[in-house]
Coordinates of all heavy atoms in Angstrom, one line a residue:
V120 N 10.7 6.2 -23.6 CA 9.6 5.6 -24.2 C 9.4 6.4 -25.6 O 9.4 7.6 -25.6 CB 8.3 5.9 -23.4 CG1 7.1 5.2 -24.1 CG2 8.4 5.4 -22.0
T121 N 9.1 5.6 -26.6 CA 8.8 6.2 -27.9 C 7.4 5.6 -28.4 O 7.3 4.4 -28.4 CB 9.8 5.9 -29.0 OG1 11.1 6.3 -28.4 CG2 9.6 6.7 -30.2
Q122 N 6.5 6.4 -28.6 CA 5.2 5.9 -29.1 C 5.0 6.1 -30.6 O 5.3 7.1 -31.1 CB 4.0 6.7 -28.4 CG 3.9 6.4 -26.9 CD 2.8 7.2 -26.2 OE1 3.1 8.2 -25.6 NE2 1.6 6.7 -26.2
R123 N 4.7 4.9 -31.2 CA 4.4 5.0 -32.7 C 2.9 4.7 -32.8 O 2.2 4.4 -31.8 CB 5.2 3.9 -33.4 CG 6.7 4.0 -33.2 CD 7.4 4.0 -34.6 NE 8.8 3.8 -34.4 CZ 9.7 4.8 -34.1 NH1 9.2 6.0 -33.8 NH2 10.9 4.5 -33.9
R126 N 2.5 0.8 -32.0 CA 3.5 0.2 -31.2 C 4.1 1.2 -30.2 O 3.9 2.4 -30.3 CB 4.7 -0.3 -32.1 CG 4.2 -1.2 -33.2 CD 3.8 -2.6 -32.7 NE 4.9 -3.4 -32.4 CZ 4.8 -4.6 -31.7 NH1 3.6 -5.0 -31.3 NH2 5.8 -5.4 -31.4
V127 N 4.7 0.6 -29.1 CA 5.4 1.4 -28.2 C 6.7 0.8 -27.9 O 6.9 -0.4 -27.8 CB 4.5 1.7 -26.9 CG1 4.0 0.4 -26.3 CG2 5.3 2.5 -25.9
I128 N 7.8 1.7 -27.9 CA 9.1 1.2 -27.7 C 9.6 1.6 -26.4 O 9.6 2.8 -26.0 CB 10.0 1.7 -28.9 CG1 9.5 1.2 -30.2 CG2 11.5 1.2 -28.7 CD1 9.9 2.0 -31.4
D140 N 2.6 -3.8 -28.0 CA 1.3 -3.1 -28.4 C 1.0 -2.0 -27.3 O 0.3 -1.0 -27.6 CB 0.2 -4.0 -28.5 CG 0.4 -5.1 -29.5 OD1 1.0 -4.8 -30.6 OD2 0.1 -6.3 -29.3
A141 N 1.4 -2.3 -26.1 CA 1.0 -1.4 -25.0 C 2.1 -1.4 -23.9 O 2.8 -2.4 -23.8 CB -0.3 -1.8 -24.3
L142 N 2.2 -0.3 -23.2 CA 3.1 -0.2 -22.1 C 2.4 0.2 -20.8 O 1.6 1.2 -20.8 CB 4.2 0.8 -22.4 CG 5.2 1.1 -21.2 CD1 6.1 -0.1 -20.9 CD2 6.1 2.3 -21.5
I143 N 2.6 -0.5 -19.7 CA 2.0 -0.2 -18.4 C 3.1 0.2 -17.5 O 3.9 -0.6 -17.1 CB 1.3 -1.4 -17.8 CG1 0.5 -2.3 -18.8 CG2 0.4 -1.0 -16.6 CD1 -0.6 -1.6 -19.6
G144 N 3.2 1.5 -17.2 CA 4.2 2.0 -16.3 C 3.8 1.8 -14.9 O 3.0 2.5 -14.3
I152 N 8.1 6.5 -16.3 CA 7.1 6.5 -17.3 C 6.2 7.7 -17.1 O 5.8 8.4 -18.1 CB 6.3 5.2 -17.4 CG1 7.3 4.0 -17.4 CG2 5.4 5.2 -18.6 CD1 8.2 3.9 -18.6
R153 N 5.8 8.0 -15.8 CA 5.0 9.1 -15.6 C 5.7 10.4 -16.0 O 5.1 11.3 -16.6 CB 4.7 9.2 -14.1 CG 3.8 10.5 -13.7 CD 3.6 10.6 -12.2 NE 4.8 10.8 -11.5 CZ 5.1 10.2 -10.3 NH1 4.2 9.5 -9.7 NH2 6.3 10.4 -9.7
K155 N 8.0 10.7 -18.3 CA 8.0 10.8 -19.8 C 6.6 11.2 -20.3 O 6.6 12.0 -21.3 CB 8.3 9.4 -20.4 CG 9.7 8.9 -20.1 CD 10.8 9.8 -20.8 CE 12.2 9.5 -20.2 NZ 13.2 10.6 -20.5
L156 N 5.6 10.8 -19.7 CA 4.2 11.1 -20.2 C 3.8 12.5 -19.9 O 3.3 13.3 -20.7 CB 3.1 10.2 -19.7 CG 3.1 8.7 -20.1 CD1 1.9 8.0 -19.6 CD2 3.1 8.6 -21.7
F157 N 4.1 12.9 -18.6 CA 3.5 14.1 -18.1 C 4.5 15.2 -17.6 O 4.1 16.2 -17.0 CB 2.5 13.8 -17.0 CG 1.4 12.9 -17.5 CD1 1.3 11.6 -16.9 CD2 0.5 13.3 -18.4 CE1 0.3 10.7 -17.4 CE2 -0.5 12.4 -18.9 CZ -0.6 11.1 -18.3
R268 N -5.0 12.7 -15.6 CA -5.1 11.5 -16.5 C -3.9 10.6 -16.3 O -2.8 11.1 -15.9 CB -5.3 12.0 -18.0 CG -4.1 12.9 -18.5 CD -4.5 13.5 -19.8 NE -4.5 12.6 -20.9 CZ -3.9 12.8 -22.0 NH1 -3.3 13.9 -22.3 NH2 -4.0 11.9 -23.0
W269 N -4.1 9.3 -16.7 CA -3.0 8.4 -16.5 C -2.5 7.8 -17.9 O -1.5 7.1 -18.0 CB -3.4 7.2 -15.7 CG -4.0 7.5 -14.3 CD1 -3.8 8.7 -13.7 CD2 -4.7 6.6 -13.5 NE1 -4.4 8.6 -12.4 CE2 -5.0 7.3 -12.3 CE3 -5.1 5.3 -13.6 CZ2 -5.7 6.7 -11.2 CZ3 -5.8 4.7 -12.5 CH2 -6.1 5.4 -11.3
T270 N -3.4 8.0 -18.9 CA -3.2 7.3 -20.2 C -2.9 8.3 -21.3 O -3.6 9.3 -21.4 CB -4.5 6.5 -20.6 OG1 -4.7 5.5 -19.5 CG2 -4.3 5.7 -21.9
V271 N -1.9 7.9 -22.1 CA -1.7 8.7 -23.4 C -1.5 7.6 -24.5 O -0.5 6.9 -24.5 CB -0.4 9.6 -23.3 CG1 -0.2 10.2 -24.7 CG2 -0.5 10.6 -22.2
G272 N -2.6 7.5 -25.3 CA -2.5 6.5 -26.4 C -2.3 5.1 -25.9 O -3.1 4.6 -25.1
N273 N -1.2 4.5 -26.3 CA -1.0 3.1 -25.9 C -0.1 2.9 -24.7 O 0.5 1.8 -24.4 CB -0.4 2.3 -27.1 CG 0.8 3.0 -27.7 OD1 1.3 4.0 -27.1 ND2 1.2 2.6 -28.9
V274 N 0.0 4.0 -23.9 CA 0.8 3.9 -22.6 C 0.0 4.4 -21.5 O -0.7 5.4 -21.6 CB 2.1 4.8 -22.7 CG1 2.9 4.7 -21.4 CG2 3.0 4.4 -23.9
T275 N 0.0 3.6 -20.4 CA -0.7 4.1 -19.2 C 0.1 3.8 -17.9 O 1.2 3.3 -18.0 CB -2.1 3.4 -19.0 OG1 -2.9 4.1 -18.1 CG2 -2.0 1.9 -18.6
L276 N -0.4 4.3 -16.8 CA 0.3 4.1 -15.5 C -0.6 3.3 -14.6 O -1.8 3.2 -14.8 CB 0.5 5.5 -14.9 CG 1.3 6.5 -15.7 CD1 1.3 7.9 -15.0 CD2 2.8 6.0 -15.9
V312 N -6.3 -1.4 -28.2 CA -5.5 -1.0 -27.0 C -5.8 0.3 -26.5 O -5.9 0.5 -25.2 CB -4.0 -1.2 -27.4 CG1 -3.1 -0.5 -26.4 CG2 -3.6 -2.6 -27.6
V313 N -5.9 1.3 -27.3 CA -6.1 2.7 -26.9 C -7.4 2.8 -26.1 O -7.5 3.5 -25.1 CB -6.0 3.7 -28.1 CG1 -6.3 5.1 -27.7 CG2 -4.6 3.6 -28.7
L316 N -7.0 1.1 -22.6 CA -6.3 1.9 -21.6 C -7.1 3.1 -21.2 O -7.0 3.5 -20.0 CB -4.9 2.3 -22.2 CG -4.0 1.1 -22.5 CD1 -2.6 1.6 -22.9 CD2 -3.8 0.1 -21.4
S317 N -7.8 3.7 -22.1 CA -8.6 4.8 -21.7 C -9.8 4.5 -20.8 O -10.1 5.2 -19.9 CB -8.9 5.6 -23.0 OG -10.3 5.9 -23.1
Y319 N -9.8 1.9 -18.8 CA -9.2 1.5 -17.5 C -9.0 2.8 -16.7 O -9.4 2.9 -15.5 CB -7.8 0.8 -17.8 CG -6.8 1.0 -16.7 CD1 -6.8 0.4 -15.5 CD2 -5.7 1.9 -17.0 CE1 -5.9 0.6 -14.5 CE2 -4.7 2.1 -16.0 CZ -4.8 1.5 -14.8 OH -3.9 1.7 -13.8
Q320 N -8.4 3.8 -17.3 CA -8.2 5.1 -16.6 C -9.5 5.6 -16.1 O -9.7 6.0 -14.9 CB -7.6 6.1 -17.5 CG -7.6 7.5 -17.0 CD -7.3 8.6 -18.0 OE1 -6.2 8.7 -18.5 NE2 -8.4 9.3 -18.4

Side-chain angles (χ1 to χ4, degrees):
V120 182
T121 310
Q122 289 178 267
R123 303 228 192 283
R126 303 291 282 168
V127 51
I128 299 156
D140 300 321
L142 173 69
I143 320 300
I152 310 299
R153 179 184 60 219
K155 295 288 166 199
L156 291 186
F157 302 114
R268 58 194 286 229
W269 303 346
T270 299
V271 177
N273 51 11
V274 180
T275 196
L276 302 172
V312 166
V313 173
L316 297 188
S317 126
Y319 149 75
Q320 169 198 287

